[in-house]
Amino acid sequence: MADAPRSRSTDRAKLADVAALARVSVGTASKALNGGGRMRPETRQRVLAAVEALDFRPNQHAQSLHTGRSWTVGLMTTDGIGRFSTPVLLGAEDALGAGKISVLLCDTRGDAIREQHHLRNLMDRRVDGIIVTGRRTDPRPPLTGIAPIPTVYALSPSADPADTSVVSDDRGGAHLAVEHLLATGRTQIAHVTGPAHHAAARDRARHTVELLERSSLGLATGRVHFGEWSEAWGRHAAEAVLRTAPDTDAFFCGNDQIARGVADTLRERGVNVPARIAIVGYDNWDTMALACRPPLTTIDRDLTEIGRMAALRLLDAINSDPVPGLHTVPCRLVVRESA
């Protein structure tokens, strides 16, 4: 990239300087920063590199007066502890930050009254759009009374198929886990997961059974072990599985907490993991996966990418080019020592 040009009238870079350095028109540079328009990814990247090189800071007040936009979006979450919403937020900020759009985080704690309070505040602030996320993958009721503010649902999809939702590909995640275990020679696979009334537990269990049946196999104990999303349940379930099916040679667990509990029980029993029994978790939660002994092989749902894609779909909607429907983000297998 050529030397960064600067305006002669001021030391502060202008949009024209950014455009010149990126070798694009001022209009293209503006669209790249605002998330608008359609352009080649390398063109947008050149503009962003020029912004960084010049330390360009757009005049948000002038932009607001010109466009009628506030350059802020709201991120509404029911995930009070931030386990799932924080990576989604980081991904959204990565995408929105290119246009210098600020994100206002609102935690409803799952309370409908608190949700309405936050919605009123966001509407009073004239946010350009809202991203809604949560802890669970169960479809949730869409927000009401917010038209015409564009809204995108991340991780927790809207129950209205006409809305835009970005979710994890749980079928693909289960496929990665089961295929990995089968590829390592495991044939007696137990599935221990969370509460049956959670969509995540039901969906992963259903996909696991279907994938095993395709290989002419069944679950080691003949059934799915539904319980809680906890280490304690993992320890208890491991004992129950080994009593029922002592030939079990693998556990596929619905989350990393359960998997760590299973690993505790196997270690206490002197069972070699993975030589005797392999373990695969779900979520790639570092706190659990890396602290487990041995460290967990697990499925990463790529929550940051879910947030990034949700933000991009929100920018589409803000620019009057919405992409409704359900959009899925692929999972990936993270191989460590447990399988």
Side-chain angles (χ1 to χ4, degrees), residues 235-248:
R235 290 192 291 269
H236 176 79
E239 293 282 3
V241 167
L242 294 178
R243 281 196 305 269
T244 304
D247 291 337
T248 296

Side-chain angles (χ1 to χ4, degrees), residues 115-315:
E115 178 173 283
Q116 289 302 312
H117 168 74
H118 284 310
L119 279 177
R120 285 194 296 271
N121 282 339
L122 292 175
M123 293 173 71
D124 289 343
R125 289 173 178 267
R126 302 178 65 84
V127 295
D128 298 322
I130 299 174
I131 297 174
V132 183
T133 188
R135 296 173 58 91
R136 295 170 59 169
T137 62
D138 302 75
R140 58 150 291 154
L143 299 181
T144 57
I146 59 169
I149 300 176
T151 303
V152 172
Y153 299 81
L155 192 61
S156 302
S158 170
D160 186 347
D163 288 332
T164 301
S165 299
V166 181
V167 300
S168 174
D169 180 9
D170 266 348
R171 185 186 184 284
H175 181 90
L176 289 172
V178 173
E179 286 298 313
H180 178 72
L181 291 172
L182 294 177
T184 58
R186 316 293 170 158
T187 59
Q188 300 296 316
I189 302 172
H191 186 53
V192 180
T193 192
H197 63 276
H198 282 206
R202 293 194 310 272
D203 291 345
R204 291 167 200 169
R206 184 179 74 256
H207 297 319
T208 298
V209 171
E210 290 174 353
L211 290 164
L212 286 174
E213 288 177 346
R214 289 186 185 180
S215 299
S216 300
L217 296 172
L219 292 169
T221 60
R223 68 181 182 90
V224 174
H225 294 262
F226 290 105
E228 301 298 329
W229 301 114
S230 69
E231 294 173 72
W233 164 239
R235 290 192 291 269
H236 176 79
E239 293 282 3
V241 167
L242 294 178
R243 281 196 305 269
T244 304
D247 291 337
T248 296
D249 58 15
F251 282 84
F252 171 34
C253 302
N255 78 349
D256 291 339
Q257 288 170 277
I258 295 171
R260 186 173 173 183
V262 169
D264 288 345
T265 290
L266 297 182
R267 187 172 61 253
E268 290 167 3
R269 281 173 161 253
V271 176
N272 188 300
V273 176
R276 168 66 182 85
I277 297 180
I279 307 172
V280 175
Y282 210 102
D283 287 337
N284 194 29
W285 184 11
D286 285 355
T287 301
M288 289 290 155
L290 297 180
C292 183
R293 290 296 176 265
L296 280 173
T297 291
T298 184
I299 302 299
D300 192 321
R301 290 194 282 167
D302 207 347
L303 299 175
T304 301
E305 178 62 16
I306 289 175
R308 192 188 74 86
M309 183 182 287
L312 293 177
R313 294 292 78 79
L314 185 63
L315 289 173

Side-chain angles (χ1 to χ4, degrees), residues 39-46:
M39 66 188 70
R40 296 170 64 87
E42 51 266 35
T43 301
R44 192 182 301 274
Q45 188 56 46
R46 286 208 313 274

Side-chain angles (χ1 to χ4, degrees), residues 81-100:
I81 63 174
R83 162 67 188 94
F84 299 103
S85 62
T86 298
V88 171
L89 171 63
L90 294 176
E93 285 186 327
D94 285 346
L96 297 170
K100 307 301 180 184

